[in-house]
Amino acid sequence: MLIRPLRLTSRLVLFSLVLLSCALLAACVSATELLTRRKLDRTPFACFCFGLASRCLGFQVNLRGAKPKGTVLLVSNHISWSDIPILGSVVPLRFLSKIEVRSWPVIGWLAQQAGTLFIRRGGGQARTTREQIANTLRNGQSVLVFPEGTTTLGITVLPFHSRLLAAAADAKVPIQPISIGYRRNDRPDHLAPFIGDDPFERHLIRVLREPAVCVDIILHEPVAMTAEDDLQAVAQRLRESVQKGLGDIHQGPGENGKAPGFPASHPPLGNT
């Protein structure tokens, strides 16, 4: 009976130490920028910090597929807040996040230091957000968006909103779809989804006190897009790729206890 409290305590301590370390690193980067009067690319630092956070939070990440060789617009299904540190540890990128996250204690400040693109939902902000994403892509930094617009239970993929996808055509970069799925005991994990009005703190505690969860990520082939393409058709094609990948993840254990269904073009890259 003591295992869960001990696990929770140790992970909370580790997570706090990681947050402190990341804050110190962010402060050093800011100080360097101030002294040199030169803006640094923060994505490699953020990738390192996300990797530390993912490990101390107890995520066992299995990666399939080829990482992008250049700048891309990444689109993924969305299950939980933990998608961000996990995916951020896999590929150097910048995230799109609701502006409310900026006010979260510590996390909001770190997200800002990592170069997160904060957006205000509604009020006709789609065009401004699209331009913001396109400019970031033109500067050579990949951006991840969650086109479902909300989190899900992680067993299906909602229709993709297409407006922001046009940023890829504006910046003349491809779109790379990603499938992410959480498994516990070879079944879709019921703890990972962060949905409804569940407070972040309570959800974090529930995740930390349980054994490590397996997170499978599939990086699909990039899709080229032009300004003449039908946005709705592109969004549907991307959603189908992500849905198929999620289905492969949750088919259950195959030989050697690994999830089957990964095509030959997606060789395993191992744990991150």
Side-chain angles (χ1 to χ4, degrees):
M1 295 297 292
L2 291 176
I3 294 179
R4 293 174 75 192
L6 287 175
R7 184 187 296 120
L8 172 61
T9 301
S10 62
R11 284 183 177 169
L12 279 175
V13 170
L14 282 174
F15 187 52
S16 299
L17 291 174
V18 166
L19 287 180
L20 177 60
S21 300
C22 292
L24 291 174
L25 178 59
C28 290
V29 171
S30 296
T32 302
E33 289 179 335
L34 184 62
L35 291 173
T36 61
R37 298 182 180 180
R38 183 170 60 91
K39 197 73 173 176
L40 298 178
D41 179 8
R42 298 190 175 204
T43 51
F45 301 105
C47 191
F48 171 76
C49 291
F50 283 138
L52 287 179
S54 296
R55 287 179 175 85
C56 79
L57 289 172
F59 297 116
Q60 297 179 348
V61 182
N62 300 308
L63 181 63
R64 308 270 172 163
K67 296 182 180 181
K69 297 179 180 179
T71 305
V72 296
L73 177 65
L74 298 150
V75 296
S76 172
N77 59 309
H78 196 14
I79 300 172
S80 178
W81 56 267
S82 54
D83 298 344
I84 293 177
I86 291 170
L87 294 176
S89 69
V90 171
V91 181
L93 49 78
R94 294 179 67 177
F95 289 95
L96 202 66
S97 177
K98 60 184 180 180
I99 198 168
E100 289 81 4
V101 172
R102 189 158 56 182
S103 63
W104 290 7
V106 184
I107 299 293
W109 182 79
L110 287 174
Q112 188 172 1
Q113 296 302 306
T116 300
L117 305 176
F118 293 104
I119 62 170
R120 194 181 304 276
R121 295 179 178 178
Q125 296 295 311
R127 182 179 182 83
T128 301
T129 302
R130 169 180 163 179
E131 293 174 353
Q132 189 178 11
I133 295 172
N135 287 334
T136 303
L137 294 170
R138 290 189 190 100
N139 289 331
Q141 295 179 315
S142 296
V143 178
L144 172 71
V145 300
F146 298 111
E148 291 171 291
T150 187
T151 52
T152 71
L153 290 173
I155 54 178
T156 190
V157 180
L158 298 176
F160 279 7
H161 298 289
S162 62
R163 287 186 178 181
L164 298 183
L165 302 180
D170 296 341
K172 297 180 174 56
V173 301
I175 303 175
Q176 184 163 13
I178 299 175
S179 301
I180 182 171
Y182 295 75
R183 292 186 297 116
R184 192 183 298 275
N185 299 322
D186 299 317
R187 294 175 178 269
D189 182 38
H190 68 283
L191 291 175
F194 183 55
I195 55 178
D197 297 325
D198 192 7
F200 169 75
E201 296 82 2
R202 292 183 184 177
H203 187 265
L204 176 64
I205 295 300
R206 288 201 301 272
V207 171
L208 292 182
R209 68 186 178 193
E210 297 299 330
V213 62
C214 179
V215 186
D216 290 288
I217 299 171
I218 303 178
L219 300 172
H220 301 280
E221 288 294 320
V223 174
M225 182 181 174
T226 66
E228 290 74 30
D229 289 334
D230 185 317
L231 280 178
Q232 294 291 344
V234 173
Q236 179 61 24
R237 178 182 174 188
L238 293 169
R239 178 184 176 273
E240 288 172 356
S241 294
V242 175
Q243 178 67 72
K244 183 180 183 303
L246 186 62
D248 290 343
I249 289 171
H250 290 312
Q251 279 183 11
E255 296 181 4
N256 302 320
K258 294 184 178 180
F262 294 108
S265 60
H266 291 139
L269 297 179
N271 293 339
T272 62

